Amino acid sequence: SIPSQKAQKIPSTREEVVQKMPAQTIPIADEDMKESTANKVQVVPPIKKPKQARKSFSLAGMLAPTATPTPTSKIEKDVEMDTSSSHHRVEVQEDEQRPKWIINYQPTGPNTYEHDPDRSFAMEFLMEAVRCFPEGKVDPTSVARALEDALWTRYDGDYDKYMERVHDVCAAIAGKKQLGSVAQKIISGDYTTPLDVINIPRKLLFQSFEGFWIP
């Protein structure tokens, strides 16, 4: 005969069923943990740097690598020497066929560059540019002062445009590697007034700077 097995007791109530179930641990998904941690971390947005203002193109910037800066005190001293004592500069003979402003310019009006620091600063650039003129051909100080007066008259009230034009004219006169064609035409007396120089289109000033002849 088949030996009898011990009868197992079948749970009859819900409480007994629960007691018979083994204890289980409910795993927490890694994604849930990451999400929970991320919610607690405060994310700081990156700080956006303000855009720098774009600098306008200037012919003077192209001269920077080769130009040798001259101290302000030296330029002021040179201007003073040129304007106060005739024996410190080469005598330029007046010629009726050449404009007077390139030989013996006389400022008109009470307002001159000496009384304005902005205009004095611009005059430094102009004095540097006119140093390239051959001695005895024109009076460099007269040319610089005439051009500065004309530029200030034209752009009075707009300092940025005034200085931008000062740079362009200076570059066109000095030239990139040699005397610019604008300077050569000034020497020849082709420009009746300084306004004729400052009114030259920028494209032609650039050509003078590069060493090309301009009409």
Side-chain angles (χ1 to χ4, degrees), residues 7-18:
Q8 295 182 352
K9 184 180 179 181
I10 300 174
S12 59
T13 65
R14 181 176 182 277
E15 288 77 7
E16 290 179 350
V17 172
V18 172

Side-chain angles (χ1 to χ4, degrees), residues 33-87:
M33 287 290 293
K34 291 178 181 179
E35 183 179 355
S36 176
T37 306
N39 292 335
K40 294 180 180 179
V41 177
Q42 185 176 3
V43 179
V44 180
I47 300 175
K48 295 182 179 181
K49 296 182 179 180
K51 288 186 177 180
Q52 295 181 353
R54 178 180 294 181
K55 296 181 180 179
S56 61
F57 172 75
S58 175
L59 296 178
M62 302 182 70
L63 284 175
T66 56
T68 302
T70 302
T72 304
S73 58
K74 186 176 186 303
I75 292 178
E76 292 176 349
K77 183 178 180 181
D78 291 343
V79 174
E80 183 179 354
M81 286 172 58
D82 288 339
T83 56
S84 63
S85 180
S86 60
H87 69 273

Side-chain angles (χ1 to χ4, degrees), residues 164-184:
E164 183 179 88
R165 198 62 173 174
V166 167
H167 290 162
D168 293 349
V169 171
C170 288
I173 291 174
K176 189 175 184 179
K177 296 181 179 179
Q178 60 184 1
L179 192 67
S181 54
V182 166
Q184 298 177 47

Side-chain angles (χ1 to χ4, degrees), residues 33 41 47 65 78 87-88 107 115 124 128 133 144 175 180 188 200:
M33 287 290 293
V41 177
I47 300 175
D78 291 343
H87 69 273
H88 284 295
H115 306 289
E124 295 180 16
E128 273 296 314
F133 286 119
S188 300
I200 297 174

